[in-house]
DNA sequence: AACCTGACTTCGG
DNA sequence: TCCGAAGCCAGGT
């Protein structure tokens, strides 16, 4: 019984993130919308940051609205880029992802 | 209990 | 088209 209670929104967001298929990416706004709270993008970012490890989330498949990696260079930037390239996601110059091509459409 | 921060998005100038 | 500011949510201090 040591389980900590989590909000329905947390659970919904996690569930959505886990559904992102390999080789595709989703934006924070997209996840927030699918989870039922379109304006809670910052919460989604927090969930991802705090629980990606224990929930075993495909965190690297989440990028910002511009199709860029949101991490700074001294954080997981390269790790995320490598993971995505390994799944076949192509980065253009300036490390941008073509969302029209790679964004997950439900 | 109040204030701050964060792996963001959107709108206005 | 680019940049600054506001808005929103949850957890940490």
């Amino acid at each position: 019984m040591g389980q900590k209670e989590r909000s329905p929104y947390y659970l919904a967001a996690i569930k959505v993130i886990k559904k992102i298929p390999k080789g595709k990416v989703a934006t924070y706004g997209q996840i927030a919308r699918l989870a039922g709270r379109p304006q809670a993008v910052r919460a989604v970012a927090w969930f991802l940051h705090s629980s990606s490890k224990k929930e075993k989330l495909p965190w690297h498949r989440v990028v910002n609205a511009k199709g860029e990696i949101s991490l700074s260079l001294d954080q997981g930037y390269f790790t995320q880029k490598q993971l995505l390239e390994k799944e076949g996601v192509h980065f253009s110059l300036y490390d941008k992802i073509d969302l029209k091509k790679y964004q997950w459409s439900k």
Side-chain angles (χ1 to χ4, degrees):
Chain A
M1 322 283 268
Q3 276 206 324
K4 207 174 186 179
E5 307 227 347
R6 290 167 181 88
S7 68
Y9 183 59
Y10 171 89
L11 297 174
I14 296 301
K15 198 171 175 182
V16 171
I17 295 169
K18 285 186 174 175
K19 281 191 200 162
I20 304 172
K22 187 179 175 185
K24 291 286 182 180
V25 298
T27 66
Y28 290 87
Q30 182 178 8
I31 293 169
R33 184 162 51 73
L34 292 175
R37 296 279 183 282
Q39 300 178 306
V41 291
R42 312 233 28 189
V44 171
W46 175 255
F47 295 154
L48 212 57
H49 180 235
S50 63
S51 315
S52 60
K53 205 102 184 184
K54 64 179 174 184
E55 299 282 357
K56 297 191 170 54
L57 302 175
W59 61 271
H60 56 283
R61 295 182 191 144
V62 183
V63 298
N64 66 28
K66 292 176 279 189
E68 301 170 325
I69 291 176
S70 295
L71 299 174
S72 56
L73 295 176
D74 57 338
Q75 290 187 337
Y77 189 96
F78 293 112
T79 303
Q80 179 167 15
K81 188 179 176 185
Q82 284 174 10
L83 286 170
L84 287 175
E85 288 182 325
K86 206 156 111 183
E87 295 186 351
V89 175
H90 174 69
F91 285 77
S92 64
L93 289 177
Y94 306 109
D95 289 346
K96 277 173 114 181
I97 297 172
D98 183 358
L99 289 179
K100 295 191 192 293
K101 185 173 180 182
Y102 296 107
Q103 181 168 29
W104 170 44
S105 54
K106 187 177 48 142

